[in-house]
């Protein structure tokens, strides 16, 4: 049985006598609940698991009742609350219960959720200084290779959601499962249900458009022009923020020492799940060399974003570009991605002319596995 790395993180953090609230954030259907239940099977202390999916009462009263059930098993019980974002004003209730419990001897608490925007708002507004976050992303190439024997090409076509693997022999079933059971649920429950969107159909259309641009820089006006409705760039930016909050995409800014220039740049679209491109283009199109290039570029970007969120960028100066620029503490790296034959690397040269302190490296299919296992070690070892 495959066990994701966050299970070990849970074991280490709950080994403390008085741990902070642990919060697991990540997309749907990637094993957050399964991994948590695997952890509970080996957890040595008393525990109580509950899910907001299993109740019609989405008020703080339900939370208080589950808290009391946990307390009945002992003052140091580990309480696990799944899909916490579905409870109204959950953060205020948790704050009250947590602070009272600390005064009386303690409770260990683990919260799971699949809506970053909703959870982050509650955490920062009510639970400042009381929590730690554990991020659980889509399944990586390394995990999928170990679990299912994926090749890199297979992962680029179908990777990200382990539950979809059994349907890959029947594309219609695979498409239906990923689109209807996962994506539509995320959009409907984690985004539209939690956020005001005047035209849901337009929002869903925006998702389909974004699926067609993996690893590509696209202007807000270009994205807006493809929507079948009038709008403005503020609408597009709002949509992108919501998609990113649900762990579907990341949107990179252009690297610049001037923050204003970086924030006003066109976004580079990164698919956090490579299968999104297949949803839009079909599985055969990934055999096209240009499309493989875009998909592979996006994959490397997703790996970098997971390792260095908020510190991953792209770079462009007129006709010269570099796929990614990453800030790691006081060092900056430029990364060029090559999916086929290596060509001229003029972009990296121009980047070093502009910023001599930047170290550069090329990621291609021959060294991708080494990169994917540990981007930071790869950059430290091979960038020059």
């Amino acid at each position: 049985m495959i066990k994701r790395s966050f299970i070990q993180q849970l074991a280490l953090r709950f080994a403390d006598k008085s741990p902070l609230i642990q919060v697991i954030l990540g997309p749907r259907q990637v094993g957050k609940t399964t991994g948590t239940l695997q952890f509970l099977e080996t957890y040595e202390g008393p525990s109580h698991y509950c899910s907001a999916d299993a109740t019609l009462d989405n008020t703080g009263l339900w939370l208080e009742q589950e808290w009391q059930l946990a307390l009945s098993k002992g003052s140091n019980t580990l309480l696990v609350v799944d899909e916490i974002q579905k409870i109204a004003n959950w953060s205020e209730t948790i704050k009250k219960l947590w602070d009272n419990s600390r005064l009386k001897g303690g409770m260990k608490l683990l919260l799971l959720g699949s809506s970053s925007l909703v959870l982050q708002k509650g955490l920062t507004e009510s639970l400042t200084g009381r929590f730690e976050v554990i991020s659980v992303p889509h399944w990586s190439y390394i995990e999928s290779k170990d679990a299912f024997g994926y090749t890199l090409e297979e992962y680029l076509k179908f990777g990200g959601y382990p539950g979809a693997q059994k349907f890959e022999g029947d594309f219609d079933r695979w498409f239906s499962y990923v689109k209807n059971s996962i994506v539509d649920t995320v959009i409907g429950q984690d985004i539209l249900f939690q956020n005001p969107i005047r035209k849901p159909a337009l929002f869903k259309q925006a998702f389909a458009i974004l699926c067609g641009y993996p690893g590509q820089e696209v202007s807000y006006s270009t994205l807006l022009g493809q929507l079948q409705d009038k709008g403005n760039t503020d609408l597009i930016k709002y949509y992108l923020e919501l998609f990113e909050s649900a762990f579907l995409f990341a949107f990179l800014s252009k690297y610049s020492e001037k923050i204003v220039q970086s924030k006003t740049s066109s976004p580079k679209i990164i698919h956090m799940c490579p299968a999104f491109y297949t949803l839009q283009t079909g599985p055969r199109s990934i055999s096209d060399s240009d499309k493989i290039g875009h998909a592979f570029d996006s994959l490397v970007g997703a790996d970098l974003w997971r390792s260095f969120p908020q510190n991953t960028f792209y770079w462009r100066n007129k006709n010269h570009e570099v796929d990614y620029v990453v800030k790691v503490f006081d060092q900056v790296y430029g990364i060029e991605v090559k999916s086929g034959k290596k060509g001229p690397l003029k972009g990296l040269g121009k980047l070093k002319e502009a910023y001599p302190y930047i170290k550069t490296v090329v990621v291609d299919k021959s060294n991708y596995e080494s990169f994917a296992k540990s981007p930071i070690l790869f950059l430290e070892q091979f960038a020059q």
Side-chain angles (χ1 to χ4, degrees), residues 175-354:
F175 180 94
S176 177
Y177 175 80
V178 175
K179 178 67 168 59
N180 300 327
S181 297
I182 300 178
V183 172
D184 286 352
T185 300
V186 172
I187 291 176
Q189 294 189 23
D190 296 338
I191 302 179
L192 296 178
F193 183 73
Q194 303 282 353
N195 302 277
I197 296 180
R198 190 165 55 91
K199 296 183 178 180
L202 196 67
F203 184 77
K204 293 177 181 179
Q205 183 191 354
F207 173 82
I209 292 170
L210 293 170
C211 284
Y213 289 101
Q216 297 177 67
E217 175 192 351
V218 184
S219 70
Y220 294 113
S221 58
T222 297
L223 293 172
L224 184 63
Q226 295 190 46
L227 290 177
Q228 298 174 355
D229 195 80
K230 294 181 179 179
N232 53 47
T233 56
D234 287 338
L235 175 68
I236 289 294
K237 290 178 180 179
Y238 178 55
Y239 282 4
L240 300 193
E241 179 185 10
L242 294 179
F243 284 127
E244 194 166 79
S245 77
F247 311 100
L248 300 177
F249 305 99
F251 303 98
L252 308 187
S253 301
K254 183 171 72 173
Y255 178 75
S256 173
E257 292 179 331
K258 298 179 180 180
I259 296 177
V260 172
Q261 290 184 5
S262 180
K263 288 185 176 296
T264 58
S265 62
S266 298
K268 180 169 182 173
I269 301 168
I270 303 300
H271 290 185
M272 301 312 293
C273 171
F276 292 159
Y277 199 23
T278 307
L279 283 180
Q280 181 68 6
T281 64
R284 292 187 180 87
S285 63
I286 305 297
S287 300
D288 178 272
S289 59
D290 288 340
K291 288 184 168 60
I292 287 177
H294 291 313
F296 185 60
D297 186 321
S298 181
L299 173 59
V300 173
D303 290 332
L304 290 168
W305 179 261
R306 293 185 188 109
S307 298
F308 317 107
Q310 313 305 325
N311 285 314
T312 300
F313 309 87
Y314 70 93
W315 182 78
R316 176 186 293 278
N317 184 12
K318 298 181 181 178
N319 294 327
H320 300 288
E321 62 180 310
V322 173
D323 291 312
Y324 300 104
V325 176
V326 176
K327 295 175 66 176
V328 185
F329 300 112
D330 59 348
Q331 182 59 60
V332 184
Y333 299 94
I335 300 104
E336 186 69 18
V337 181
K338 294 291 185 182
S339 63
K341 294 181 180 180
K342 290 185 180 180
L345 300 174
K346 294 181 180 180
L348 288 179
K350 291 293 182 179
L351 177 66
K352 288 197 71 106
E353 286 181 16

Side-chain angles (χ1 to χ4, degrees), residues 77-145:
T77 297
L78 168 58
L79 171 61
V80 180
V81 186
D82 207 342
E83 297 294 344
I84 185 66
Q85 79 275 0
K86 294 188 176 181
I87 302 301
N89 300 316
W90 64 270
S91 57
E92 290 86 351
T93 303
I94 289 292
K95 179 179 182 296
K96 178 185 68 174
L97 294 169
W98 177 257
D99 289 349
N100 288 339
S101 175
R102 282 314 201 198
L103 293 174
K104 297 177 182 178
M107 168 84 83
K108 295 183 178 180
L109 183 59
L110 173 60
L111 307 176
L112 286 77
S114 53
S115 178
S116 175
L117 202 62
V118 173
L119 284 172
Q120 289 289 1
K121 182 178 179 181
L123 292 171
T124 54
E125 288 182 354
S126 301
L127 297 173
T128 302
R130 297 171 175 85
F131 69 92
E132 293 180 280
V133 171
I134 297 174
S135 296
V136 180
H138 290 88
W139 278 45
S140 69
Y141 165 64
I142 299 298
E143 289 175 306
S144 300
K145 179 185 176 184

